[in-house]
Amino acid sequence: MASKAPLLAATRALRRPPATLSPSSLRLRRQTPPPPALTAPPRRNFTSSTAHRSPDNASAIDSTLDSVLTTQKSLTSSHKRLTIPLAGRYVSLDNVHLRDSCPCPLCIDPSTRQKLFQTHDIPLTISPRRHNISPTDNALTVIWSSDFGGYNHESTYTLAHLKALTSPRYASREAFDDWNYVLWDKALMQKDVQFIPYEAYMADDSILLFALEQLATYGLVFLKDVPSQLPLHSNIISTIAQRIGTLKTTFYGETWDVKSLPNSKNIAYTPLNLGLHMDLLYYESPPGLQFLHCLQNTVKGGSSYFSDAFRAAEMLRASSPNNFSVLTRFPVTFHYENDGQHYRYTRPTLVLNNADYHARKRLDHVNYSPPFQAPFDLQAPSGGGAASAGGGGGGGGAPHGGGGDAASSALWRQFVHALGMFGRHVDAPENQFELRLAEGEVAIFQNRRVLHARREFDPASGERWLKGTYVDGDTFRSRLRTLARRFRAPGGGGGSGGSGGN
């Protein structure tokens, strides 16, 4: 087991600047001591806490551009850039970029909020004809010369708009894309696990936001006291998922039943042990969220367990950066070919968020699903680039590691070694949260982060019936942003009122 010191350093690096999270804020929801066994976590009531976002530096910055902005000599321009002092420092804005960001109703339709021109319509020679700061609303006004929209086209930019153009961190905050993720193991999840009452989740949008924040932060949350009377509530999972957004339809349908079936076409529909995996990685766009509603569970065995793939990846990055890098580059093909279906897609194991404003890019998602991994094509032509996703299973020109090329063969073996290191992290019992889902409970988890699995069970000993569905990651993030803006943004409310639907 690697030392905890590198992991602690890696975890700190993932967090936003100091004061983002404190031990007290992480423990606000810990109402009972950790249970003695994994299989019986407390189904306690939740208590909401401060959202896991970085401090609101945006509101801490002065509401004016800067006192120096009142002097017009502070504004300078060239044929390519406009330089202004902003929040205590000078920033230089590209003229084409600034013009492209014009929010006026001639450029952005007020009703649809959609752009009314093309970026390449803007002449590369465009420059400000006049520019000034309004002393009443602290907005920057620019009148453009040689503009495609007219010689005297006027653009006005608010303080918030200018900060979003010049600060990736501020832009991320404004879009509510700056959620911290907490890397968890068995011990932490036993303490922080949340079981949210079904009625509160369905009736109160602030509680729904709390559930979404748990998903953004930990990737895993549970509902309890869900109506489960059969057959009346056999499809209530649809209503639960639709609180977040539209269901994702797959070849399994909008919803699907997890039962032991004879001659099953999927290992999930057997009583066999089903190891840690993610669903539908053979799709071009795998689901972002998965929902599992326990309708019946009287069998011997069959407990569910989960593992944080982000934690495993960050442990690998801290202890072996080279092996971490290999997993971001080497292509893996996932497939499903059965029952008249043939799906296939190639992607690397670890994917970084290249839009992240940190120099040390954070993880965007993980692709790990051994049961659905296709055979490797070691005779594929080797190349020097990173793995690129593709439907043909060819790996986008990345080296596969065969064909007699010694360098490629070495990379293949390094990939196998790196994948083994990652697998040992996720498979370690101390990194797995296990429980036996009870009737009336729903597990909701991020399919691109949290691995899920099931122990073998005896189908002759009783009944085991889970009902499942999916929601796309885009839908999840959209709902999270809109509710966060409503309840978390300054002046956005924050009470417990809300509608029971979308």
Side-chain angles (χ1 to χ4, degrees), residues 29-71:
R29 298 182 298 280
R30 298 176 183 174
Q31 300 180 2
T32 60
L38 267 173
T39 54
R43 267 60 170 177
R44 56 185 178 271
N45 291 326
F46 73 98
T47 54
S48 60
S49 65
T50 303
H52 290 265
R53 300 186 73 220
S54 51
D56 194 357
N57 291 353
S59 61
I61 297 174
D62 291 339
S63 59
T64 59
L65 285 175
D66 195 273
S67 59
V68 73
L69 286 180
T70 59
T71 58

Short mmCIF file of all heavy atoms in Angstrom, two decimals, residues 29-71:
data_model
loop_
_atom_site.label_atom_id
_atom_site.label_comp_id
_atom_site.label_asym_id
_atom_site.label_seq_id
_atom_site.Cartn_x
_atom_site.Cartn_y
_atom_site.Cartn_z
N ARG A 29 -22.48 16.29 8.74
CA ARG A 29 -23.53 15.30 8.49
C ARG A 29 -23.30 14.01 9.24
O ARG A 29 -23.98 13.03 9.02
CB ARG A 29 -23.62 15.03 6.98
CG ARG A 29 -23.98 16.27 6.20
CD ARG A 29 -24.12 15.96 4.72
NE ARG A 29 -22.87 15.49 4.15
CZ ARG A 29 -21.88 16.29 3.79
NH1 ARG A 29 -21.97 17.58 3.96
NH2 ARG A 29 -20.78 15.80 3.26
N ARG A 30 -22.29 13.95 10.08
CA ARG A 30 -21.97 12.71 10.79
C ARG A 30 -22.75 12.68 12.09
O ARG A 30 -22.35 13.24 13.09
CB ARG A 30 -20.48 12.64 11.04
CG ARG A 30 -19.70 12.63 9.73
CD ARG A 30 -18.22 12.65 9.97
NE ARG A 30 -17.51 12.71 8.70
CZ ARG A 30 -16.21 12.84 8.59
NH1 ARG A 30 -15.47 12.93 9.65
NH2 ARG A 30 -15.64 12.90 7.41
N GLN A 31 -23.87 11.99 12.08
CA GLN A 31 -24.76 12.00 13.23
C GLN A 31 -24.56 10.82 14.16
O GLN A 31 -24.97 10.85 15.30
CB GLN A 31 -26.22 12.04 12.76
CG GLN A 31 -26.53 13.26 11.91
CD GLN A 31 -27.95 13.27 11.46
OE1 GLN A 31 -28.73 12.38 11.81
NE2 GLN A 31 -28.33 14.25 10.69
N THR A 32 -23.95 9.75 13.64
CA THR A 32 -23.76 8.56 14.45
C THR A 32 -22.35 8.04 14.22
O THR A 32 -21.74 8.32 13.20
CB THR A 32 -24.76 7.45 14.06
OG1 THR A 32 -24.56 7.12 12.68
CG2 THR A 32 -26.19 7.92 14.25
N PRO A 33 -21.81 7.26 15.15
CA PRO A 33 -20.49 6.67 14.93
C PRO A 33 -20.54 5.72 13.74
O PRO A 33 -21.60 5.22 13.36
CB PRO A 33 -20.22 5.90 16.24
CG PRO A 33 -21.15 6.50 17.24
CD PRO A 33 -22.37 6.92 16.46
N PRO A 34 -19.38 5.47 13.11
CA PRO A 34 -19.35 4.53 11.98
C PRO A 34 -19.88 3.17 12.39
O PRO A 34 -19.62 2.70 13.51
CB PRO A 34 -17.86 4.46 11.62
CG PRO A 34 -17.25 5.71 12.21
CD PRO A 34 -18.07 6.01 13.43
N PRO A 35 -20.64 2.51 11.54
CA PRO A 35 -21.16 1.19 11.88
C PRO A 35 -20.04 0.17 11.95
O PRO A 35 -19.00 0.33 11.34
CB PRO A 35 -22.10 0.88 10.70
CG PRO A 35 -21.56 1.71 9.58
CD PRO A 35 -21.01 2.94 10.20
N PRO A 36 -20.23 -0.90 12.69
CA PRO A 36 -19.17 -1.89 12.84
C PRO A 36 -18.93 -2.71 11.60
O PRO A 36 -17.89 -3.30 11.45
CB PRO A 36 -19.68 -2.78 13.99
CG PRO A 36 -21.18 -2.61 13.95
CD PRO A 36 -21.41 -1.21 13.51
N ALA A 37 -19.89 -2.76 10.68
CA ALA A 37 -19.73 -3.59 9.48
C ALA A 37 -20.16 -2.81 8.26
O ALA A 37 -21.02 -1.95 8.32
CB ALA A 37 -20.56 -4.87 9.60
N LEU A 38 -19.55 -3.15 7.13
CA LEU A 38 -19.89 -2.48 5.87
C LEU A 38 -21.32 -2.71 5.47
O LEU A 38 -21.96 -1.85 4.86
CB LEU A 38 -18.99 -3.03 4.75
CG LEU A 38 -17.69 -2.28 4.46
CD1 LEU A 38 -16.89 -3.07 3.46
CD2 LEU A 38 -17.96 -0.89 3.94
N THR A 39 -21.84 -3.86 5.76
CA THR A 39 -23.13 -4.26 5.21
C THR A 39 -24.31 -3.61 5.90
O THR A 39 -25.43 -3.85 5.52
CB THR A 39 -23.28 -5.79 5.29
OG1 THR A 39 -23.07 -6.20 6.64
CG2 THR A 39 -22.26 -6.45 4.38
N ALA A 40 -24.09 -2.81 6.94
CA ALA A 40 -25.22 -2.23 7.65
C ALA A 40 -25.00 -0.75 7.97
O ALA A 40 -24.93 -0.36 9.11
CB ALA A 40 -25.49 -3.00 8.94
N PRO A 41 -24.81 0.10 6.93
CA PRO A 41 -24.64 1.53 7.21
C PRO A 41 -25.93 2.09 7.78
O PRO A 41 -27.01 1.60 7.48
CB PRO A 41 -24.33 2.12 5.84
CG PRO A 41 -24.95 1.18 4.88
CD PRO A 41 -24.83 -0.17 5.50
N PRO A 42 -25.83 3.13 8.61
CA PRO A 42 -27.05 3.68 9.23
C PRO A 42 -27.93 4.36 8.20
O PRO A 42 -27.45 5.14 7.40
CB PRO A 42 -26.49 4.69 10.23
CG PRO A 42 -25.16 5.09 9.66
CD PRO A 42 -24.63 3.86 8.98
N ARG A 43 -29.22 4.07 8.20
CA ARG A 43 -30.16 4.74 7.30
C ARG A 43 -30.65 5.99 8.03
O ARG A 43 -31.80 6.12 8.41
CB ARG A 43 -31.34 3.83 6.97
CG ARG A 43 -31.19 3.00 5.71
CD ARG A 43 -30.02 2.06 5.72
NE ARG A 43 -30.08 1.13 4.59
CZ ARG A 43 -29.16 0.25 4.32
NH1 ARG A 43 -28.10 0.15 5.08
NH2 ARG A 43 -29.29 -0.56 3.28
N ARG A 44 -29.73 6.90 8.31
CA ARG A 44 -30.07 8.04 9.12
C ARG A 44 -30.62 9.18 8.26
O ARG A 44 -30.41 9.22 7.06
CB ARG A 44 -28.84 8.52 9.88
CG ARG A 44 -27.64 8.86 8.99
CD ARG A 44 -26.44 9.20 9.85
NE ARG A 44 -25.25 9.49 9.05
CZ ARG A 44 -24.38 8.58 8.67
NH1 ARG A 44 -24.58 7.32 8.98
NH2 ARG A 44 -23.33 8.92 7.97
N ASN A 45 -31.28 10.11 8.93
CA ASN A 45 -31.72 11.31 8.24
C ASN A 45 -30.51 12.14 7.87
O ASN A 45 -29.51 12.16 8.58
CB ASN A 45 -32.66 12.13 9.12
CG ASN A 45 -33.99 11.44 9.33
OD1 ASN A 45 -34.48 10.76 8.43
ND2 ASN A 45 -34.58 11.61 10.50
N PHE A 46 -30.60 12.83 6.76
CA PHE A 46 -29.51 13.66 6.34
C PHE A 46 -29.65 15.04 6.97
O PHE A 46 -30.71 15.47 7.37
CB PHE A 46 -29.49 13.79 4.82
CG PHE A 46 -30.59 14.67 4.31
CD1 PHE A 46 -30.34 15.99 4.00
CD2 PHE A 46 -31.89 14.18 4.17
CE1 PHE A 46 -31.36 16.80 3.55
CE2 PHE A 46 -32.90 14.99 3.72
CZ PHE A 46 -32.64 16.31 3.40
N THR A 47 -28.52 15.76 7.03
CA THR A 47 -28.56 17.18 7.38
C THR A 47 -27.73 17.91 6.36
O THR A 47 -26.55 17.60 6.18
CB THR A 47 -27.98 17.43 8.78
OG1 THR A 47 -26.67 16.87 8.86
CG2 THR A 47 -28.85 16.81 9.85
N SER A 48 -28.32 18.83 5.66
CA SER A 48 -27.60 19.52 4.61
C SER A 48 -26.54 20.42 5.21
O SER A 48 -26.62 20.86 6.34
CB SER A 48 -28.56 20.36 3.75
OG SER A 48 -29.22 21.30 4.54
N SER A 49 -25.51 20.68 4.40
CA SER A 49 -24.40 21.51 4.85
C SER A 49 -23.98 22.44 3.73
O SER A 49 -24.54 22.42 2.64
CB SER A 49 -23.22 20.64 5.28
OG SER A 49 -22.71 19.94 4.16
N THR A 50 -22.96 23.22 4.00
CA THR A 50 -22.47 24.15 3.00
C THR A 50 -22.02 23.40 1.76
O THR A 50 -21.35 22.38 1.85
CB THR A 50 -21.29 24.96 3.58
OG1 THR A 50 -21.73 25.61 4.75
CG2 THR A 50 -20.79 25.98 2.57
N ALA A 51 -22.35 23.93 0.61
CA ALA A 51 -21.97 23.29 -0.65
C ALA A 51 -20.45 23.26 -0.78
O ALA A 51 -19.75 24.15 -0.31
CB ALA A 51 -22.58 24.04 -1.82
N HIS A 52 -19.94 22.21 -1.44
CA HIS A 52 -18.51 22.05 -1.61
C HIS A 52 -18.04 22.87 -2.81
O HIS A 52 -17.70 22.33 -3.86
CB HIS A 52 -18.15 20.57 -1.80
CG HIS A 52 -18.34 19.78 -0.55
ND1 HIS A 52 -17.31 19.53 0.30
CD2 HIS A 52 -19.44 19.22 -0.01
CE1 HIS A 52 -17.75 18.80 1.33
NE2 HIS A 52 -19.03 18.62 1.15
N ARG A 53 -18.04 24.19 -2.65
CA ARG A 53 -17.53 25.07 -3.69
C ARG A 53 -16.47 25.96 -3.08
O ARG A 53 -16.38 26.15 -1.88
CB ARG A 53 -18.65 25.94 -4.28
CG ARG A 53 -19.78 25.14 -4.90
CD ARG A 53 -20.77 26.05 -5.58
NE ARG A 53 -20.21 26.58 -6.80
CZ ARG A 53 -20.38 27.84 -7.20
NH1 ARG A 53 -21.04 28.68 -6.46
NH2 ARG A 53 -19.86 28.26 -8.33
N SER A 54 -15.66 26.56 -3.93
CA SER A 54 -14.64 27.47 -3.45
C SER A 54 -15.27 28.75 -2.93
O SER A 54 -16.40 29.06 -3.27
CB SER A 54 -13.65 27.77 -4.58
OG SER A 54 -14.34 28.18 -5.73
N PRO A 55 -14.56 29.49 -2.07
CA PRO A 55 -15.13 30.71 -1.51
C PRO A 55 -15.58 31.67 -2.60
O PRO A 55 -15.00 31.71 -3.69
CB PRO A 55 -13.96 31.30 -0.71
CG PRO A 55 -13.05 30.16 -0.45
CD PRO A 55 -13.20 29.24 -1.62
N ASP A 56 -16.58 32.44 -2.32
CA ASP A 56 -17.15 33.32 -3.32
C ASP A 56 -16.28 34.56 -3.47
O ASP A 56 -16.64 35.66 -3.08
CB ASP A 56 -18.57 33.70 -2.93
CG ASP A 56 -19.32 34.34 -4.09
OD1 ASP A 56 -18.69 34.52 -5.15
OD2 ASP A 56 -20.50 34.65 -3.91
N ASN A 57 -15.11 34.38 -4.07
CA ASN A 57 -14.22 35.51 -4.28
C ASN A 57 -14.83 36.54 -5.21
O ASN A 57 -14.47 37.71 -5.19
CB ASN A 57 -12.89 35.03 -4.87
CG ASN A 57 -12.10 34.23 -3.86
OD1 ASN A 57 -12.50 34.16 -2.71
ND2 ASN A 57 -11.01 33.64 -4.28
N ALA A 58 -15.74 36.09 -6.05
CA ALA A 58 -16.36 37.01 -6.99
C ALA A 58 -17.07 38.13 -6.25
O ALA A 58 -16.98 39.29 -6.62
CB ALA A 58 -17.33 36.26 -7.88
N SER A 59 -17.80 37.78 -5.19
CA SER A 59 -18.51 38.80 -4.44
C SER A 59 -17.58 39.57 -3.53
O SER A 59 -17.89 40.68 -3.10
CB SER A 59 -19.63 38.16 -3.61
OG SER A 59 -19.09 37.24 -2.69
N ALA A 60 -16.42 38.99 -3.21
CA ALA A 60 -15.46 39.67 -2.35
C ALA A 60 -14.72 40.76 -3.10
O ALA A 60 -14.22 41.72 -2.51
CB ALA A 60 -14.47 38.66 -1.77
N ILE A 61 -14.61 40.62 -4.42
CA ILE A 61 -13.94 41.63 -5.23
C ILE A 61 -14.80 42.89 -5.25
O ILE A 61 -16.02 42.81 -5.28
CB ILE A 61 -13.69 41.12 -6.65
CG1 ILE A 61 -12.75 39.91 -6.59
CG2 ILE A 61 -13.09 42.19 -7.54
CD1 ILE A 61 -12.55 39.23 -7.91
N ASP A 62 -14.17 44.03 -5.26
CA ASP A 62 -14.91 45.28 -5.24
C ASP A 62 -15.93 45.32 -6.35
O ASP A 62 -15.72 44.78 -7.44
CB ASP A 62 -13.96 46.48 -5.39
CG ASP A 62 -13.09 46.66 -4.16
OD1 ASP A 62 -13.48 46.16 -3.08
OD2 ASP A 62 -12.03 47.29 -4.28
N SER A 63 -17.05 45.98 -6.09
CA SER A 63 -18.13 46.04 -7.07
C SER A 63 -17.83 47.00 -8.20
O SER A 63 -18.60 47.14 -9.13
CB SER A 63 -19.44 46.43 -6.39
OG SER A 63 -19.29 47.70 -5.78
N THR A 64 -16.73 47.71 -8.10
CA THR A 64 -16.32 48.58 -9.20
C THR A 64 -15.12 47.99 -9.89
O THR A 64 -14.39 47.19 -9.30
CB THR A 64 -15.97 49.99 -8.69
OG1 THR A 64 -14.90 49.87 -7.76
CG2 THR A 64 -17.17 50.65 -8.03
N LEU A 65 -14.90 48.36 -11.12
CA LEU A 65 -13.75 47.83 -11.83
C LEU A 65 -12.46 48.13 -11.08
O LEU A 65 -11.65 47.27 -10.84
CB LEU A 65 -13.68 48.43 -13.24
CG LEU A 65 -14.68 47.92 -14.26
CD1 LEU A 65 -14.55 48.72 -15.54
CD2 LEU A 65 -14.46 46.45 -14.53
N ASP A 66 -12.28 49.37 -10.68
CA ASP A 66 -11.13 49.80 -9.92
C ASP A 66 -11.16 51.31 -9.95
O ASP A 66 -11.62 51.91 -10.92
CB ASP A 66 -9.81 49.27 -10.52
CG ASP A 66 -8.66 49.40 -9.55
OD1 ASP A 66 -8.04 50.48 -9.54
OD2 ASP A 66 -8.40 48.44 -8.81
N SER A 67 -10.68 51.93 -8.89
CA SER A 67 -10.74 53.38 -8.86
C SER A 67 -9.96 53.99 -10.01
O SER A 67 -10.30 55.06 -10.52
CB SER A 67 -10.20 53.90 -7.53
OG SER A 67 -8.86 53.47 -7.34
N VAL A 68 -8.93 53.27 -10.43
CA VAL A 68 -8.11 53.80 -11.52
C VAL A 68 -8.85 53.84 -12.84
O VAL A 68 -8.47 54.55 -13.76
CB VAL A 68 -6.81 52.96 -11.66
CG1 VAL A 68 -7.11 51.61 -12.26
CG2 VAL A 68 -5.76 53.70 -12.50
N LEU A 69 -9.96 53.08 -12.92
CA LEU A 69 -10.70 53.07 -14.17
C LEU A 69 -11.39 54.39 -14.46
O LEU A 69 -11.86 54.63 -15.55
CB LEU A 69 -11.74 51.95 -14.15
CG LEU A 69 -11.22 50.53 -14.29
CD1 LEU A 69 -12.37 49.56 -14.24
CD2 LEU A 69 -10.44 50.36 -15.56
N THR A 70 -11.50 55.24 -13.45
CA THR A 70 -12.18 56.51 -13.67
C THR A 70 -11.35 57.47 -14.51
O THR A 70 -11.87 58.46 -15.01
CB THR A 70 -12.51 57.18 -12.33
OG1 THR A 70 -11.30 57.39 -11.61
CG2 THR A 70 -13.46 56.29 -11.52
N THR A 71 -10.07 57.17 -14.65
CA THR A 71 -9.24 58.01 -15.50
C THR A 71 -9.09 57.35 -16.85
O THR A 71 -8.61 56.23 -16.96
CB THR A 71 -7.86 58.22 -14.86
OG1 THR A 71 -7.24 56.95 -14.65
CG2 THR A 71 -7.99 58.93 -13.51
#
